[in-house]
Amino acid sequence: MIYSVIEILSEILLHPISNHEFSSILLTLMPLVIFFEIPWTLFILVGIVRYKWERMHEGVRRDYFPSVSCIITCYSEGAAIKQTIRSLTEQIYPGKIQLIVLVDGAAANQETLRVAQSMSGYVNEFLNRKLLVIPKWQRGGVVSSSNAGLRFADGEIIIKVDGDSSMDNNMVERATRHFENPEVVAVSGCLRVRNANESIWTSFQAIEYFIAIQSSKSALSTFNMVNNISGAFGIFRRELLDLVMGWDAGTAEDLDMTMRIKNYFANKKKKFRIVFDPEAMCFTDVPVTLKNYLKQRLRWDGDYSFILAKHKHTLSPKFIGWPNFIGLLVRMFTNLVIPCTVFFYTIWLCIAYPWSFAIALMIFMYLFYFIMHSCMYLFSVLLLSERIGEDLARIPYLLFIPAFMFIGRINALVANLWQWFGKGHQDTSMAPWWVIKKNKF
C-alpha cells in the first residue's frame, strides 16, 4: 500500500493525470484553495508590506501621554500575578498608570488576593503608579470583573489584561500613541505565547499566534478590517466604554465588545478606527497539553457562533461598512465553513477513492499547506518580529503545523455543534451559569 501511495503521489506531482482525475481533484480543491486560501494569504502578505512601509514613514512620537488605567482580571493566578503587576509598573511611560487588580471568587482564591495586596509597597516606589486591589468574593466571571474595574478606573485610556500576562516595558507607550488620532477608539494589542518552550503544543500555539495575530492583524489593520479586540489584551478610550456601557455579560466578551463598538458608530454614522499594533506586546500562558488546548478552543470557537447569533440583525455591509463586513465574512468562513468542509471532504475522499489514492492526495494537500504556512511565517518573522532568533528557532515545528491546524479545525466543528445543540457557551470562565441566567438576550 505504501508503494501505491508513493507511486500515485509522484504521478500527481510529476506527470499528467487523466481528465476525470484532474477534474475530480480540481473540483474538490478549487473552492477552498484557489478561491480562498491563496488569495487571502496573498492579501495578508500585501497588508504586511503596507504596514511595514507605513511604519517606516511614521515619524517620531509626539508629546502625548494620557492617563491610563489597567484593569487586571484574576481568578487563580497565585504568585504569578506578581509578574503582571511588575511588568505594568515598570513601563517606560511618563504618564500616570493606575493598576486595578480584580480577584474574582476571592473567597476561594485567598492566595491570589494576598499576593496582589503584597505588591502595594513595590508599586508605590514608582512615580505616577498606583495599585488598587479589589476582591470580588463570589465568582462572577471575566465580564463581571471587567465592569467592576471600570467603576474604579480614572484613566483616559483603559487597558484590559488577564492576570496571567506580562508586557514588554514599552507596551503602554506604543498603545497610547494611536489615541492622538480622534478617530481611533480602540487598539487591539499583540498577544504572544509566554510559555512557548514548555511543550510541543505550546510551540505550535506560538506559531499559530504569530500567524493569526501578529501577522494577520497587522495586515488587516492597514485596511481598517480589525474584527476582534482580544479579551486578554485590549486598549480602549474610557469615554467609548462609557458610551457602550461596558462589557456585556454572556461570553466571548472580546468579539462581543468589538461588534458593539461597530454597531454604536454605525448607528451614529461616525468615522472610527480600531487599530492593531504589533509593537504593543503582551505575553500570555497557553495550554500545555493537547487536551487542555482542545478544551480551551471548544469554548472559543463555540462562543463565536453564540456572538454571531446575538448580533445577527447588524451583520450587513450597510450597517458596519464593506471592509468590516468582508473581514467578518472571512472570519465566519474560517470558523464555521472551513471546519465543516475539511471534515466532510476528508470523509468523502476516503469513501470515493481507493485508500492509496486518498492518502496520496491528502499528502499532496499537506505539502501545499506546509509550504503556504511556512512562507507566511518566515515572511512575517523577517518583517515583523522583534525576536527574530527566537521565532526562527521554531522552524522545525512548521513541518507539523498543517496537522495541528487540521486538529484545530475538526475541534472547531465539534465546538460549533456543541454550541448549536448544547448551549456550550454557558457556565464558562467568561461567566458562570447564574450570570448567564440573569442576562438572557
Side-chain angles (χ1 to χ4, degrees), residues 305-316:
S305 299
F306 169 75
I307 294 300
L308 287 182
K310 178 182 175 182
H311 292 281
K312 60 185 177 183
H313 299 297
T314 60
L315 301 181
S316 70

Side-chain angles (χ1 to χ4, degrees), residues 295-404:
K295 285 175 63 178
Q296 181 194 66
R297 298 308 170 93
L298 277 176
R299 173 172 57 80
W300 287 8
D301 293 327
D303 285 350
Y304 187 74
S305 299
F306 169 75
I307 294 300
L308 287 182
K310 178 182 175 182
H311 292 281
K312 60 185 177 183
H313 299 297
T314 60
L315 301 181
S316 70
K318 183 178 180 180
F319 198 79
I320 61 175
W322 276 106
N324 287 311
F325 182 71
I326 292 172
L328 191 61
L329 282 181
V330 169
R331 188 164 182 196
M332 289 172 63
F333 189 81
T334 302
N335 287 59
L336 301 177
V337 178
I338 286 184
C340 295
T341 304
V342 167
F343 177 75
F344 289 111
Y345 171 74
T346 303
I347 298 298
W348 173 80
L349 194 62
C350 294
I351 294 175
Y353 293 98
W355 277 91
S356 56
F357 186 87
I359 293 173
L361 188 54
M362 283 191 282
I363 292 174
F364 179 78
M365 291 180 61
Y366 192 98
L367 290 174
F368 165 78
Y369 280 103
F370 165 69
I371 294 171
M372 185 182 73
H373 289 311
S374 297
C375 290
M376 168 75 84
Y377 184 74
L378 293 174
F379 184 84
S380 303
V381 166
L382 293 176
L383 287 187
L384 297 176
S385 177
E386 77 298 343
R387 292 166 171 84
I388 293 181
E390 180 182 322
D391 291 324
L392 290 179
R394 298 195 181 95
I395 287 178
Y397 294 102
L398 289 172
L399 182 61
F400 306 98
I401 282 296
F404 180 72

Side-chain angles (χ1 to χ4, degrees), residues 138-158:
Q138 184 179 19
R139 175 180 165 235
V142 174
V143 170
S144 172
S145 297
S146 302
N147 286 327
L150 189 59
R151 294 180 60 187
F152 293 91
D154 56 24
E156 302 168 60
I157 305 299
I158 305 295

Side-chain angles (χ1 to χ4, degrees), residues 134-258:
I134 303 172
K136 289 175 67 271
W137 299 108
Q138 184 179 19
R139 175 180 165 235
V142 174
V143 170
S144 172
S145 297
S146 302
N147 286 327
L150 189 59
R151 294 180 60 187
F152 293 91
D154 56 24
E156 302 168 60
I157 305 299
I158 305 295
I159 299 179
K160 180 181 172 296
V161 297
D162 285 348
D164 58 352
S165 306
S166 54
M167 275 57 65
D168 277 351
N169 62 6
N170 68 338
M171 180 276 290
V172 173
E173 183 273 327
R174 291 287 83 191
T176 55
R177 65 196 172 109
H178 299 285
F179 291 99
E180 189 177 11
N181 179 353
E183 290 186 1
V184 174
V185 297
V187 173
S188 178
C190 186
L191 278 171
R192 288 185 59 122
V193 175
R194 184 166 64 180
N195 59 335
N197 298 321
E198 196 166 346
S199 73
I200 187 173
W201 304 108
T202 58
S203 295
F204 290 155
Q205 290 172 81
I207 295 174
E208 179 196 28
Y209 270 54
F210 191 92
I211 293 175
I213 299 177
Q214 192 159 352
S215 302
S216 297
K217 287 192 174 183
S218 294
L220 293 175
S221 184
T222 65
F223 299 105
N224 195 23
M225 292 174 62
V226 176
N227 274 307
N228 195 6
I229 305 167
S230 172
F233 181 36
I235 306 101
F236 308 87
R237 286 192 192 273
R238 169 58 191 267
E239 60 183 294
L240 168 69
L241 293 178
D242 290 338
L243 288 171
V244 299
M245 295 183 290
W247 290 267
D248 206 351
T251 187
E253 86 289 2
D254 48 0
L255 178 59
D256 181 65
M257 173 58 80
T258 310

Side-chain angles (χ1 to χ4, degrees), residues 17 56 124 131 212 217 242 280 289 321 328:
I17 54 180
M56 290 171 58
N124 290 337
L131 175 65
K217 287 192 174 183
D242 290 338
T289 65
L328 191 61

